[in-house]
Amino acid sequence: MQRSLLIDANKCTGCVQCELACSYEQEGVFNPAKSRIRIFTFHQEGRFVPYTCTQCAEAWCLQACPVDAIGYDAATGAKIINDAACVGCKVCTIACPFGTVNYNSDTGKVIKCDLCGGDPACAKACPTAAITYVEADQTGYDKMRAWAGRTDTGNTATA
Amino acid sequence: MAWTGKILRVNLTAGTCTAEPLNQEWAQTYLGQRGLATKYLVEEVDASVDALGPDNKLIMATGPLTGTMASTGGRYSVVTKSPLTGCVACSNSGGFIGAEIKFAGWDMIIFEGRSPKPVYLYLVNDQAKLLSADEVWGTSVWHTDEWLHNRHQDPMLRVAAVGRSAEAGCLYSGIVNDLHRAAGRSGVGTVMASMNLKAVAVRGTLGVGNIKDPAAFMGAVNAGKKVLADNAVTGQGLPTYGTQVLMNVINEIGALPTRNMKEVQFEGADKVSGEAMHEPRKSDGKPNLTTNAGCFGCTIACGRISTIDQGHFSVAHKPEYWGNSGGLEYEAAWALGPDTGVDDLDALTYANFLCNEDGYDPISFGSTVAAAMELFKQGRITTEHTGGMELTFGSAEVLTWAAEAVATGEGFGKDLGLGSKRLCEKYGMPELSMTVKGQEFPAYDPRGIQGMGLAYATSNRGACHLRGYTVASEVLGIPVKTDPLATEGKADLVKAFQDATAAVDSSGLCLFTTFAWSLEDIAPQVDGACAGEWSAERLNELGERVWNMERDFNLRAGITAADDTLPKRLLKEAANIGPAKGRVNDLGKMLPEYYALRGWSTDGVPTDATRTRLGLD
C-alpha cells in the first residue's frame, strides 16, 4: 500500500529537525541548505510551514525532463532523480508548480524528495507529528475524524 | 571533529577578516562555546581592561554540537568583559544564527579593536566582509534586520544586531538574533556597539558533516530526544506554557520577588502567568499566545509567539506592533511584572517587544525600573528628573514609558540605562539596588529558595539564574527534591549545578534540556560527534575547570570574596508572607562550606592544589 507524507503545519514549531534529518539522510551532512524539505517562517503571523514534494501522480517535473532523468518508484510513488542522467538543465525546477525541485550548484544536478525509499527521515525526526507518513489513500482521515467528532448525533449515552 | 577547526578573527580597527586554525588542544580541554571562548578571552584580554575601551574583545562562539541534529543543538555564546559587572560576561542565545555560523564553516568569531565608522560583518561561508552600517546606525534591531535582508536580497540570511539602546550606552544591552532571541545579559550588546559593530549577517551552506561516529551519534541523539519527549517538564510543561509555567508555582512557594524584592508574593501573579497567556482576551477572543516555537534543532519548543491586544493603550495607534513576535518568558515576565508591581499582560508583552526591538535585557531593565519606583517612593527621584512622570509601583503606563525611554536612551532613559546599581548610587540609596556584582536578580527570591542565594552570590557573571539553577532541585525536585528553606547540603548542590551547567554551556546544547537530561545523557552525544573520549565525568571536570577559569578572570579584574554577597534586604529583611515568612537568606552558613568544597581559600581564591588538579595555569 502506498503512503504519503502528511503535513500539518499547525503542529510545526519551526525547529528544523526535519531539515537536519533530510540533509543527513540524503547528503551525509547536517545542512538545511541541502534539505529536500524546508520550513518557512511567517513571523508576523506566527506560523511555521513545512513544505516538500507531494509526489504528483502525473508529475510536471517528470514530464518536462528532456533526458528522462526523473523516474518513478512504483512501490512508494516517489519521483526520483537519476543523477547519472540529470544534466542540470533545471527545466524541472521551472515545471514544478510548487517549487519543490531545486538545483544543487555543488553537484550540477537537481534534488527533490524521494521519500527515502519508503522510510522518510523527516517524519521520523519530527517531534510534534507535524510530518507523518500515512496511507496515501487516507491522508484526509485525521481531518475527517476531527470534524466528525463535532457532529451532534442527538444520541445520549445511557448507562 | 564536529568542530570546523576554523576561527574568524575580525580586526575592526584595521578592517580585516582573517581565518585561523582552532586551537585543538584547547578544544579538548574547554570543548566549545562558553568554555572555549572564555579560554581565548583570558589568554588574549587583560582582565583589568576597560570593558568599553579598545582593548576588550568580543567573541561569538558555537559549541561542537551546534548545527547538529542533537536536540537544542543551535546555541551560541557571546563572551567578553562586561561593562555592567566588570566580570567576565557570557551570554547564551538560541534561535538560528549559531548554527548558521557553524554552517558557514566557523567555530567562533573573535572581534577586536574598534571600527572608525559603523560597520556590520557580512559572512557567507568563507567570504567575510566588513560593510558600512551608516544607514542603520541609530535604528533598531528590527529595522536593521529588515534592511539587511532587503539589501542582500536574501530571505535566508541570519542576523544578530544591536539596537539603539546599546548605541546610547545602556549598560545592559544585549545582542538580538533572529528578531527575538538574545544574548541578553551583562551588556554584551553595549560592548558590541562600543566597537562600532552594528550587526553580524550570516549565510552558511556548508553544513556540519564531520561527525566522529555517525551511528553512535544518531543513536545517542534519538535516545536523548525520547527522554525529552517523555519528561513532564520538557515534553509537556515547557511546550504548553513555556518557562512561564513557573509564575504561579514560584508565587505559591513565596519566592516571587515583588516590588523591587521587598515582598515575596505578588497578588497579580495569575494575571501575568503562563496560564493567563492562554486565556482568550475580551476584546478579540484571541489569547496572548499564538503558538509555541522551537529554536534551531529543539524538540522542546518552549519559545512563545504572542500578540498584543490591538486596543491596548500601548499599541492602539501603532499597527507596527499588531503582529506576532517573541512573547513573554518567565524571567522577563517577572521583571516587567511582579518586580514593578504591574499586572497588565499586554503592557508586559509590549515592553518585552521593545526589549527585543532595541536590544536590552528585560531582566535588568525591569529590575532597574523597580529600583527607580522605590527611589521615587523614597523621594529621591522626583517628577523633575522624569519630566513629569510619577514612577508609582504597579503603573503600566510607567512601565511602557520607561521601555520606550530606554530603547532610545533619551530623557530619563539615560538614567534607567545605567542599571539598578549605578542608578541607586546616583540617587543616594545604593542599598535599594537588588544586584550582585552589579547585575540585577532574576525571578527567584533567595529567602524562599536558600540555595539560590548562594548561587547568586557566587555566580561569575553577577546575579543570574543560569549559572546554578538549584530551583530545579529545591522547587521542582530535579534530580532530587531538597527543602528550599534548608541551607544544609546547598553548597554541594550549588557547586554541582554550576559545574554541570558550565559543561552544557560549552557543548552547543540548551540548558533547558537538563530538566530531563543529566550529563549521562549528554556525554554520549558529545562522544559520538567529537574527537576524543567524552564521559560524564570528563564533562563535569571540564565544567569545574571553566568555572575556576572564570573565577580567576574576575579575581584579576579586581572582584573579591567581598563581592560574593547579596543585598542587605535579602540578608536582613525577613520575608513578609508565605511559606518563607520570617526567613532571610542564610548566605553566611553556606558560603564557607562552598569555598571549601571548591578547593578555594577562605578568601575565595582557588588554591594551587585546585589549579593543578584542573590544569589551570
Side-chain angles (χ1 to χ4, degrees):
Chain A
M1 205 145 353
Q2 254 183 36
R3 293 206 283 170
S4 289
L5 284 173
L6 176 62
I7 291 174
D8 181 352
N10 195 34
K11 293 179 180 167
C12 179
T13 66
C15 78
V16 306
Q17 277 273 331
C18 54
E19 297 183 357
L20 298 169
C22 176
S23 57
Y24 201 69
E25 175 74 23
Q26 299 285 343
E27 307 273 344
V29 58
F30 298 114
N31 189 0
K34 296 285 185 277
S35 175
R36 278 70 166 155
I37 187 165
R38 295 303 316 245
I39 294 178
F40 295 90
T41 298
F42 301 89
H43 183 255
Q44 285 278 322
E45 295 87 10
R47 281 191 295 141
F48 308 99
V49 184
Y51 213 84
T52 191
C53 174
T54 59
Q55 315 295 348
C56 311
E58 291 187 38
W60 279 267
C61 61
L62 184 150
Q63 297 188 12
C65 180
V67 294
D68 292 334
I70 302 182
Y72 171 68
D73 180 338
T76 63
K79 310 302 174 294
I80 297 172
I81 312 289
N82 175 0
D83 274 356
C86 175
V87 296
C89 73
K90 313 181 195 70
V91 169
C92 56
T93 68
I94 301 164
C96 174
F98 309 106
T100 58
V101 191
N102 285 282
Y103 183 60
N104 179 356
S105 57
D106 292 347
T107 60
K109 314 285 181 188
V110 294
I111 55 177
K112 70 178 285 300
C113 171
D114 64 2
L115 295 175
C116 299
D119 188 16
C122 56
K124 280 189 289 187
C126 179
T128 62
I131 307 166
T132 50
Y133 193 51
V134 303
E135 271 192 42
D137 297 358
Q138 300 184 2
T139 54
Y141 279 22
D142 278 352
K143 270 188 206 162
M144 281 169 67
R145 190 172 293 110
W147 282 104
R150 299 187 189 189
T151 306
D152 181 0
T153 60
N155 294 341
T156 36
T158 49
Chain B
M1 282 184 271
W3 298 276
T4 68
K6 276 169 60 186
I7 292 177
L8 181 66
R9 187 176 294 274
V10 179
N11 186 311
L12 291 154
T13 307
T16 55
C17 301
T18 319
E20 281 177 20
L22 178 74
N23 185 320
Q24 295 287 354
E25 191 190 325
W26 290 355
Q28 287 293 319
T29 327
Y30 297 95
L31 196 54
Q33 216 187 339
R34 175 175 166 186
L36 193 54
T38 306
K39 176 64 177 170
Y40 272 86
L41 186 84
V42 304
E43 292 289 338
E44 296 191 11
V45 173
D46 188 315
S48 65
V49 300
D50 173 4
L52 299 178
D55 296 325
N56 197 5
K57 297 190 184 188
L58 182 133
I59 304 175
M60 294 183 170
T62 68
L65 297 187
T66 306
T68 73
M69 204 168 144
S71 184
T72 76
R75 309 297 298 190
Y76 95 109
S77 289
V78 179
V79 175
T80 185
K81 180 175 173 173
S82 164
L84 185 70
T85 65
C87 300
V88 62
C90 173
S91 276
N92 179 311
S93 182
F96 293 82
I97 198 165
E100 202 73 19
I101 291 170
K102 196 79 174 280
F103 292 153
W106 306 96
D107 289 316
M108 62 172 84
I109 308 171
I110 300 177
F111 294 98
E112 55 193 28
R114 180 176 285 181
S115 174
K117 286 187 148 192
V119 290
Y120 68 96
L121 175 69
Y122 181 54
L123 179 62
V124 180
N125 295 337
D126 57 351
Q127 299 294 310
K129 282 184 223 168
L130 289 170
L131 300 174
S132 171
D134 276 343
E135 279 189 58
V136 281
W137 197 255
T139 73
S140 73
V141 171
W142 289 359
H143 176 268
T144 302
D145 185 284
E146 187 180 3
W147 183 82
L148 285 166
H149 280 98
N150 288 334
R151 166 151 196 213
H152 293 287
Q153 290 292 298
D154 184 355
M156 310 302 277
L157 200 63
R158 300 293 184 187
V159 173
V162 294
R164 290 176 292 177
S165 73
E167 294 176 22
C170 166
L171 289 173
Y172 47 84
S173 290
I175 302 170
V176 178
N177 58 280
D178 302 290
L179 296 173
H180 56 78
R181 308 306 310 183
R185 300 224 72 188
S186 310
V188 296
T190 319
V191 175
M192 182 161 149
S194 79
M195 298 174 140
N196 270 327
L197 177 64
K198 180 69 178 175
V200 176
V202 193
R203 257 312 285 292
T205 61
L206 305 175
V208 174
N210 54 345
I211 300 298
K212 180 180 78 179
D213 183 341
F217 178 68
M218 290 304 280
V221 164
N222 287 329
K225 282 170 68 176
K226 185 163 187 328
V227 172
L228 294 177
D230 292 346
N231 180 280
V233 177
T234 52
Q236 292 159 31
L238 286 175
T240 307
Y241 295 113
T243 51
Q244 272 274 66
V245 70
L246 289 165
M247 182 67 76
N248 287 325
V249 175
I250 302 298
N251 192 43
E252 272 166 36
I253 66 160
L256 189 71
T258 300
R259 285 176 278 269
N260 201 32
M261 302 189 87
K262 187 135 181 85
E263 301 152 65
V264 296
Q265 280 184 328
F266 181 48
E267 63 285 356
D270 62 323
K271 292 185 188 163
V272 295
S273 66
E275 290 83 347
M277 290 168 70
H278 279 271
E279 290 295 318
R281 292 187 281 250
K282 281 186 190 128
S283 57
D284 59 5
K286 290 182 187 162
N288 174 281
L289 182 75
T290 301
T291 184
N292 66 323
C295 293
F296 179 95
C298 175
T299 60
I300 303 172
C302 72
R304 306 288 92 185
I305 302 296
S306 288
T307 58
I308 306 166
D309 185 339
Q310 292 179 13
H312 188 261
F313 77 85
S314 61
V315 299
H317 305 291
K318 300 174 192 165
E320 65 270 30
Y321 296 104
W322 291 357
N324 282 275
S325 194
L328 292 165
E329 306 196 13
Y330 173 58
E331 312 299 333
W334 162 77
L336 302 170
D339 204 36
T340 64
V342 176
D343 64 4
D344 178 337
L345 187 62
D346 287 297
L348 268 55
T349 306
Y350 174 67
N352 196 58
F353 278 19
L354 295 193
C355 287
N356 289 327
E357 183 181 23
D358 266 300
Y360 52 98
D361 172 12
I363 304 177
S364 289
F365 164 71
S367 302
T368 303
V369 172
M373 286 170 162
E374 191 161 2
L375 287 164
F376 188 87
K377 196 173 173 184
Q378 295 290 337
R380 298 300 179 110
I381 291 175
T382 67
T383 48
E384 280 186 26
H385 300 112
T386 64
M389 186 60 85
E390 297 194 9
L391 306 188
T392 35
F393 278 114
S395 165
E397 287 77 9
V398 170
L399 178 71
T400 56
W401 164 84
E404 289 166 1
V406 172
T408 59
E410 286 165 11
F412 195 66
K414 195 81 185 164
D415 274 2
L416 290 172
L418 292 170
S420 169
K421 176 171 178 266
R422 291 167 179 83
L423 182 82
C424 292
E425 282 168 356
K426 177 172 177 176
Y427 289 96
M429 293 188 81
E431 67 275 18
L432 293 188
S433 171
M434 296 299 116
T435 51
V436 173
K437 299 183 176 78
Q439 179 158 282
E440 294 75 8
F441 280 87
Y444 312 89
D445 197 297
R447 288 168 291 200
I449 310 175
Q450 291 287 322
M452 284 308 289
L454 180 62
Y456 292 142
T458 59
S459 158
N460 286 329
R461 69 169 186 177
C464 172
H465 57 297
L466 296 172
R467 285 298 174 272
Y469 192 73
T470 60
V471 174
S473 167
E474 298 182 273
V475 180
L476 305 171
I478 301 167
V480 285
K481 183 78 173 78
T482 52
D483 178 358
L485 298 177
T487 53
E488 295 76 24
K490 293 297 165 65
D492 206 23
L493 192 70
V494 166
K495 177 181 180 294
F497 271 82
Q498 287 174 338
D499 292 347
T501 299
V504 175
D505 287 348
S506 302
S507 68
L509 301 176
C510 176
L511 187 60
F512 287 5
T513 58
T514 59
F515 285 116
W517 289 353
S518 71
L519 291 180
E520 298 288 345
D521 299 282
I522 292 170
Q525 302 186 58
V526 176
D527 188 60
C530 300
E533 305 274 318
W534 295 90
S535 64
E537 295 71 33
R538 182 175 173 191
L539 286 174
N540 204 62
E541 191 191 65
L542 185 144
E544 188 179 4
R545 183 179 303 120
V546 172
W547 190 266
N548 280 273
M549 172 171 62
E550 292 172 339
R551 176 79 178 182
D552 247 0
F553 181 91
N554 289 349
L555 290 168
R556 287 201 304 279
I559 313 290
T560 69
D563 299 299
D564 293 341
T565 190
L566 300 172
K568 213 177 279 176
R569 172 165 288 173
L570 306 175
L571 297 171
K572 303 283 184 199
E573 294 177 25
N576 63 326
I577 195 170
K581 188 175 179 181
R583 290 296 300 272
V584 295
N585 185 270
D586 293 317
L587 180 65
K589 290 184 185 166
M590 300 181 280
L591 194 60
E593 188 189 351
Y594 171 86
Y595 283 172
L597 275 171
R598 278 255 169 246
W600 294 353
S601 66
T602 50
D603 54 353
V605 179
T607 61
D608 289 345
T610 301
R611 284 172 206 279
T612 305
R613 179 170 63 79
L614 296 170
L616 292 167
D617 299 332

